[in-house]
């Protein structure tokens, strides 16, 4: 391990300048400078208040996860109960189902979704009829702008065994599509992931197109002089250039595995596929807000459980990404 | 393949300046023709995969319900009819919600742009004292949130449930778009302009309004589009906070039509004969296809004109200056 790290030159970020304690004189000067740009702080005032109210107050409110929330008593007045709600979540057996469903869908989406934008970008790069390629490229972006509701509607209609798109296509070849995939729990993640690939691969290709366009032309010229075929040039020149971006997408995607787009899952969910489609966020929504008798403290605890793990993941992943390359989330 | 006579366009593709070299089938490479054919076939295949589901929806929306259910519709409308569209426009909520969505989009996007600019500009100034701390204050909210339920309780205690404001105020600053805007201010507007206008006695706000904003029009166009589409497609906020049907945005009505219609038929199944039921179901089917077309229409009409701005947006977000 040690030798490996020594061998590989890690791009280290410049060391932060050491914090020097400011003398009184310097502090006075700084204050004067700040007063000179009071207008900038004035501009920031409204956003800061906005973020305190709409983002930080809910964080403060998340303390009801450790309380039994009573509407009359309010957030502050409700009695503390410690980790009761977390304990209940773990004991209920729901936790493993939810975490497993959430992770399996989002990891499936992450890994399966990775190669398609890359293939598309390579196709657009080497397609002989450029005008035609441009046209295809614009068409592949289009599904990205379909709203989640309409997308879910399209999925359900396409899979409809009574004259849906799949049924019609199968019918053309003389078959009959009888099963409704929406009713099969095991099929849920595939429906979710492949419809996502259909919707987003074109848009995802944009990033890789940019990387490919940035590849120095002299590499290709040299390879062509040496008689390399197109496939060889793609494999030995383009792919190595794409790999850093692919790895970065993967790393950043790992940081978001818990934040999988649950709106689509909520829409596609039905009583038949619930065992595989129920995710942390859909469960919180149903139990905490949509339910007739919402269990506010319990669902807040589940939400907090998710937020904390997601936060740790993002921080770790961002550290790795920083180490890995020149880019990070910020 | 990129020769010196080719330039990169904004969306990352390659443009040929010299027309003579446009043909990439250079004779010295033997396998070029077969790879070209494979590329073309693969690309066409992908085109079909993307287009056919959309085409299927369009032709089904113009066909009769019976034809769709029997699987006869696959390339052109069968037994053409506008019944589906009639049903869409007869829907009591659709036009109201369409108007609501336009209102939410216009007001919401205005708030978004205002808030994003006043956050992004000060943070783009390198001389701002405490810049990194303030940035962290905003960035932290991306990584950690109180969660759905505490947010719901907040809106309830602010009395925002079921109001116009709950649709336009939350999410006023989307962090990724703020960062893109900040980067643009920082790197695409020459610093000398600030110094010069300072010498002429221009204040910070004066500089932002008179000089920086006009120069930032390209990025403002991009984030305006992204915010606007976000509002138009938003459904979960409405699901959480809007109960009054007269305030529904389009997406919520769409959801009712696309997902709850079946259950309403199932409800009075007992009073209907089997034939009637099948007919009703077919009707519902066509209504669904038509409503998908109608709701996607504004987007599809605007899309070709604004497409390049979206692309530019994702590019400026990824390439950091």
């Amino acid at each position: 391990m040690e030798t490996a790290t020594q061998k590989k030159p890690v791009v280290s970020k410049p060391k932060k300048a050491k914090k020097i304690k400011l003398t009184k004189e310097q502090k006075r000067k700084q204050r004067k400078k700040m007063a000179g740009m009071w207008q900038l702080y004035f501009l920031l005032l409204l956003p800061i208040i906005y973020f305190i109210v709409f983002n930080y107050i809910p964080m403060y409110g998340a303390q009801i996860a450790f309380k039994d929330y009573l509407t009359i008593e309010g957030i502050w007045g409700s009695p503390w109960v410690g980790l009761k709600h977390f304990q209940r979540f773990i004991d209920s057996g729901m936790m493993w189902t939810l975490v497993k469903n959430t992770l399996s869908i989002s990891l499936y989406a992450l890994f399966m979704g990775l190669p398609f934008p890359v293939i598309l970008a390579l196709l657009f790069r080497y397609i002989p009829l450029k005008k035609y390629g441009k046209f295809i490229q614009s068409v592949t972006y289009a599904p990205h702008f379909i709203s989640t509701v309409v997308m879910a509607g399209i999925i359900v209609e396409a899979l409809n065994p009574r004259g849906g798109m799949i049924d019609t296509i199968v019918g053309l070849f003389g078959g009959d599509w009888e099963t409704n995939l929406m009713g099969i729990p095991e099929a849920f993640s595939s429906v979710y992931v492949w419809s996502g690939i259909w919707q987003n691969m074109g848009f995802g290709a944009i990033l890789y197109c940019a990387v490919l366009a940035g590849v120095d032309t002299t590499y290709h010229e040299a390879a062509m002089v040496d008689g390399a075929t197109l496939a060889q040039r793609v494999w030995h020149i383009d792919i190595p250039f794409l790999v850093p971006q692919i790895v970065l997408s993967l790393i950043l995607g790992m940081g978001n595995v818990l934040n999988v787009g649950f709106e689509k899952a909520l829409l596609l969910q039905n009583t038949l596929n619930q065992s595989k489609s129920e995710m942390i966020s859909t469960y919180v929504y149903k139990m905490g807000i949509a339910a007739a008798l919402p269990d506010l403290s319990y669902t807040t605890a589940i939400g907090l459980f998710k937020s904390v793990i997601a936060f740790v993941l993002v921080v770790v992943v961002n550290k790795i990404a920083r180490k890995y390359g020149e880019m990070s989330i910020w | 393949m990129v020769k010196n006579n080719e330039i990169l366009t904004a969306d990352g593709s390659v443009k040929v300046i010299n027309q003579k070299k446009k043909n990439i089938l250079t004779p010295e490479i033997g396998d070029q023709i077969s790879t070209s054919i494979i590329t073309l076939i693969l690309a066409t295949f992908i085109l079909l995969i993307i287009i056919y589901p959309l085409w299927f929806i369009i032709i089904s929306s113009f066909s009769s319900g019976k034809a769709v259910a029997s699987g006869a519709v696959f390339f052109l409308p069968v037994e053409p009819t506008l019944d589906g569209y009639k049903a869409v426009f007869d829907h009591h909520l659709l036009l109201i919600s369409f108007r609501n969505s336009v209102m939410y989009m216009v007001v919401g996007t205005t708030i978004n742009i205002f808030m994003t600019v006043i956050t992004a500009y000060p943070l783009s100034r390198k001389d701002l004292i405490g810049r990194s701390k303030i940035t962290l204050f905003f960035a932290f909210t991306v990584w950690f949130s109180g969660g759905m339920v505490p947010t719901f309780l907040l809106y309830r205690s602010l009395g925002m449930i079921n109001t116009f404001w709950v649709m336009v105020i939350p999410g006023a600053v989307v962090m990724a778009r703020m960062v893109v805007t900040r980067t643009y201010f920082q790197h695409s507007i020459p610093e000398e302009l600030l110094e010069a206008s300072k010498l002429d006695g221009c204040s910070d706000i004066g500089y932002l309004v008179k000089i920086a904003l006009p120069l930032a029009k390209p990025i403002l166009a991009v984030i305006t589009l992204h915010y606007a589409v976000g509002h138009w497609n938003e459904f979960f906020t409405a699901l959480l906070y809007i109960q009054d049907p007269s305030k529904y945005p389009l997406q919520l009505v769409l959801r009712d039509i696309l997902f709850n219609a079946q259950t309403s038929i199932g409800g009075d199944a007992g009073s209907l004969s089997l034939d009637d039921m099948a007919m009703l179901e077919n009707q519902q089917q066509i209504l669904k296809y038509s409503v998908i077309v109608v709701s996607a229409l504004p987007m599809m009409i605007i899309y070709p004109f604004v497409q390049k701005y979206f692309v530019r947006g994702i590019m400026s977000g990824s390439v950091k200056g």
Side-chain angles (χ1 to χ4, degrees):
Chain A
M1 247 346 244
E2 272 169 48
T3 50
T5 46
Q6 273 165 4
K7 265 184 202 165
K8 201 179 164 198
V10 179
V11 191
S12 60
K13 47 176 182 171
K15 279 252 156 54
K16 265 189 195 168
K18 265 196 184 155
K19 266 197 182 165
I20 307 159
K21 272 224 163 164
L22 296 175
T23 62
K24 265 193 184 159
E25 179 63 17
Q26 281 169 319
K27 267 190 183 164
R28 205 177 54 81
K29 261 191 186 162
Q30 200 184 37
R31 223 170 287 145
K32 210 176 153 195
K33 219 178 133 202
M34 281 171 85
M37 51 177 133
W38 65 272
Q39 292 195 336
L40 296 182
Y41 294 103
F42 176 71
L43 287 178
L44 281 173
L45 193 66
L46 187 60
I48 288 177
I49 293 172
Y50 177 90
F51 271 81
I52 289 175
V53 173
F54 290 100
N55 294 83
Y56 284 92
I57 288 183
M59 287 184 208
Y60 167 83
Q63 64 175 278
I64 61 170
F66 306 98
K67 293 180 165 183
D68 271 334
Y69 181 72
L70 303 163
T71 312
I72 335 148
E73 297 285 341
I75 292 170
W76 189 239
S78 303
W80 291 95
V81 292
L83 295 173
K84 181 179 118 181
H85 299 294
F86 293 90
Q87 191 64 45
R88 193 180 134 205
F89 182 44
I90 295 167
D91 291 342
S92 72
M94 233 18 232
M95 188 178 92
W96 292 115
T97 320
L98 296 180
V99 169
K100 215 173 74 192
N101 288 347
T102 308
L103 282 185
S104 60
I105 289 175
S106 58
L107 288 177
Y108 187 3
L110 181 60
F111 284 96
M112 214 58 221
L114 218 50
F116 291 93
V118 179
I119 295 168
L120 267 189
L122 284 168
L123 268 182
F124 296 148
R125 177 78 171 71
Y126 291 108
I127 193 161
L129 308 165
K130 290 288 173 210
K131 276 244 167 86
Y132 183 53
K134 266 246 121 29
F135 168 70
I136 298 179
Q137 202 168 357
S138 328
V139 170
T140 56
Y141 301 154
H144 180 79
F145 303 108
I146 296 173
S147 77
T148 319
V149 175
V150 171
M151 188 63 211
I154 292 176
I155 295 168
V156 172
E157 291 316 308
L159 296 176
N160 188 339
R162 276 189 74 243
M165 188 186 74
I166 305 282
D167 182 41
T168 304
I169 293 172
V170 172
L172 279 182
F173 293 99
D176 193 9
W177 185 262
E178 295 274 343
T179 44
N180 189 354
L181 287 177
M182 294 315 299
I184 302 168
E186 282 68 31
F188 183 83
S189 57
S190 290
V191 169
Y192 183 98
V193 168
W194 287 99
S195 60
I197 290 172
W198 179 81
Q199 193 179 10
N200 294 317
M201 67 176 171
F203 209 70
I206 295 171
L207 213 60
Y208 298 107
C209 282
V211 175
L212 284 180
V215 175
D216 194 336
T217 57
T218 50
Y219 289 107
H220 283 287
E221 281 161 15
M224 275 158 90
V225 169
D226 289 345
T229 63
L230 183 65
Q232 283 170 326
R233 282 190 288 132
V234 166
W235 184 250
H236 293 289
I237 300 169
D238 290 332
I239 298 287
F241 271 100
L242 289 170
V243 163
Q245 186 62 52
I246 296 172
V247 174
L248 202 71
S249 304
L250 196 62
I251 295 172
L252 295 180
M254 293 298 275
N256 275 321
V257 282
L258 286 181
N259 302 327
V260 56
F262 77 99
E263 295 182 11
K264 194 166 118 186
L266 189 70
L267 287 162
L268 290 177
Q269 208 169 58
N270 56 42
T271 42
L272 294 172
N273 64 27
Q274 208 164 19
S275 64
K276 294 283 177 196
S277 63
E278 193 76 282
M279 300 201 269
I280 299 174
S281 303
T282 56
Y283 187 70
V284 169
Y285 168 70
K286 284 192 200 160
M287 302 292 292
I289 290 166
L293 283 170
D295 199 339
L296 295 172
S297 282
Y298 179 52
T299 45
T300 303
I302 301 173
L304 196 62
F305 164 83
K306 193 201 96 168
S307 288
V308 169
I309 298 178
F311 179 66
V312 172
L313 265 177
V314 169
V315 170
V316 169
V317 149
N318 198 28
K319 275 242 160 70
I320 299 172
R322 247 179 229 273
K323 255 216 168 118
Y324 178 77
E326 30 338 292
M327 280 209 316
S328 70
I329 294 176
W330 297 102
Chain B
M1 201 53 60
V2 185
K3 297 274 172 61
N4 292 336
N5 59 337
E6 292 173 338
I7 52 156
L8 307 180
T9 56
D11 55 350
S13 65
V14 180
K15 215 173 203 163
V16 184
I17 304 171
N18 188 341
Q19 289 298 311
K20 256 193 279 176
K21 296 262 181 133
K22 197 168 184 179
N23 185 8
I24 68 150
L25 295 167
T26 40
E28 63 261 30
I29 290 154
D31 70 335
Q32 196 80 84
I33 294 170
S34 60
T35 33
S36 294
I37 292 168
I38 294 171
T39 319
L40 275 177
I41 291 173
L42 204 58
T44 309
F45 180 66
I46 286 173
L47 180 69
L48 286 179
I49 286 183
I50 299 285
I51 277 193
Y52 187 71
L54 301 174
W55 179 243
F56 185 84
I57 291 161
I58 295 172
I59 55 174
S60 299
S61 72
F62 286 107
S63 302
S64 80
K66 224 174 89 191
V68 173
S70 64
V73 181
F74 61 90
F75 184 62
L76 284 173
V78 176
E79 301 169 29
T81 159
L82 289 172
D83 283 355
Y85 291 93
K86 274 185 205 132
V88 167
F89 289 103
D90 281 345
H91 194 281
H92 62 293
L93 277 178
L94 201 98
L95 289 177
I96 298 171
S97 69
F98 201 92
R99 198 203 59 204
N100 287 344
S101 272
V102 171
M103 290 293 289
Y104 294 143
M105 183 175 75
V106 172
V107 178
T109 308
T110 311
I111 294 175
N112 287 141
I113 298 301
F114 176 73
M115 291 293 283
T116 306
V117 166
I118 64 172
T119 315
Y121 177 68
L123 293 177
S124 76
R125 287 276 296 268
K126 280 188 201 125
D127 54 346
L128 184 81
I129 295 160
R131 184 178 177 227
S132 58
K133 277 185 195 134
I134 300 170
T135 307
L136 185 67
F137 168 84
F138 290 119
F140 184 71
T141 60
V142 178
W143 299 324
F144 192 81
S145 78
M148 201 186 292
V149 177
T151 310
F152 180 83
L153 291 178
L154 171 76
Y155 290 155
R156 200 171 67 179
S157 62
L158 289 176
M160 281 170 73
I161 307 272
N162 233 348
T163 62
F164 180 82
W165 302 108
V166 84
M167 291 301 291
V168 294
I169 289 180
V173 182
V174 171
M175 211 41 67
R177 290 168 204 161
M178 193 281 280
V179 172
V180 172
T181 317
R182 188 193 68 179
T183 311
Y184 193 92
F185 277 133
Q186 198 170 330
H187 296 287
S188 302
I189 298 177
E191 260 172 77
E192 292 78 17
L193 278 177
L194 177 65
E195 286 156 28
S197 53
K198 274 273 161 76
L199 282 179
D200 289 345
C202 188
S203 68
D204 285 318
I205 292 179
Y207 172 78
L208 171 65
V209 174
K210 286 187 204 129
I211 295 165
L213 274 186
L215 287 174
K217 264 185 202 148
I219 197 68
L220 292 181
V222 169
I223 62 168
T224 303
L225 284 170
H226 279 269
Y227 276 127
V229 173
H231 280 292
W232 186 258
N233 286 347
E234 178 63 56
F235 114 94
F236 195 62
T237 311
L239 182 65
L240 284 176
Y241 306 119
I242 302 282
Q243 287 121 24
D244 181 357
S246 70
K247 291 189 177 114
Y248 275 4
L250 180 65
Q251 301 295 332
L252 214 54
V253 175
L254 288 180
R255 173 180 174 265
D256 280 350
I257 296 175
L258 290 171
F259 291 94
N260 295 347
Q262 276 164 334
T263 51
S264 69
I265 296 171
D268 35 270
S271 59
L272 290 168
S273 72
L274 269 176
D275 274 359
D276 284 347
M277 252 179 77
M279 210 187 77
L280 236 155
E281 215 182 309
N282 291 344
Q283 286 274 311
Q284 291 283 355
Q285 208 67 26
I286 304 309
L287 170 67
K288 285 179 188 178
Y289 285 119
S290 308
V291 88
I292 289 174
V293 173
V294 170
S295 70
L297 211 57
M299 205 62 228
M300 290 298 153
I301 292 171
I302 307 169
Y303 173 69
F305 301 103
V306 297
Q307 186 231 110
K308 62 177 182 215
Y309 294 104
F310 281 110
V311 174
R312 219 174 276 165
I314 198 173
M315 294 301 303
S316 47
S318 57
V319 181
K320 300 213 296 188

